[in-house]
Amino acid sequence: QVRMVESGGGLVQAGGSLRLSCAASGRTRNVYNMGWFRQAPGREREFVAAITWSGGSTYYADFVKGRFTISGDFAKNILYLQMNSLNTEDTAVYYCAAGSRILAGRSSQEYDYWGQGTQVTVSS
């Protein structure tokens, strides 16, 4: 199995920035794609961004394009999400995910391993 731990969440004022990190350990050789999802109270878990671990191709949800950037240290199995221009609608628990599929997907069903999440709260 793969163990994943998120960090970097916290309280930030609207317009500010945060950088989330996710460290993966265990059978990381079975990981080909990693992504970020988020879930706000009363809402479904939604896709944020994904990256193919070997090729570096990235994919973004429309609502974060131009504001968020996904990246990773492939050798160290660390995933990042740089979040800029945050607004109150970004308030959610953010989860990192890893999967064995060749292509990075937008559905949570395509990922096999999940972290426990880190809370991001944006105040006005």
Side-chain angles (χ1 to χ4, degrees):
Q1 292 185 337
V2 176
R3 181 173 179 266
M4 307 175 68
V5 180
E6 302 97 334
S7 62
L11 177 64
V12 64
Q13 190 175 19
S17 300
L18 284 174
R19 188 181 74 162
L20 306 182
S21 300
C22 176
S25 61
R27 294 178 57 192
T28 55
R29 291 291 182 265
N30 197 38
V31 173
Y32 301 112
N33 302 289
M34 297 186 72
W36 289 97
F37 291 77
R38 71 185 188 185
Q39 188 167 19
R43 300 180 65 88
E44 295 288 326
R45 185 170 298 185
E46 62 182 349
F47 171 78
V48 177
I51 185 170
T52 58
W53 214 236
S54 59
S57 298
T58 58
Y59 308 87
Y60 294 95
D62 289 340
F63 63 83
V64 302
K65 284 186 176 180
R67 299 190 299 130
F68 294 3
T69 302
I70 187 171
S71 62
D73 186 330
F74 302 151
K76 297 182 179 180
N77 293 310
I78 301 177
L79 180 71
Y80 300 101
L81 183 68
Q82 178 66 47
M83 304 187 295
N84 300 323
S85 301
L86 287 164
N87 57 65
T88 56
E89 295 181 1
D90 296 316
T91 295
V93 177
Y94 284 72
Y95 300 88
C96 62
S100 301
R101 297 180 183 270
I102 297 176
L103 299 177
R106 301 171 64 91
S107 172
S108 62
Q109 299 178 18
E110 300 179 61
Y111 295 86
D112 305 303
Y113 312 104
W114 295 85
Q116 292 298 308
T118 184
Q119 177 70 48
V120 172
T121 302
V122 184
S123 64
S124 60

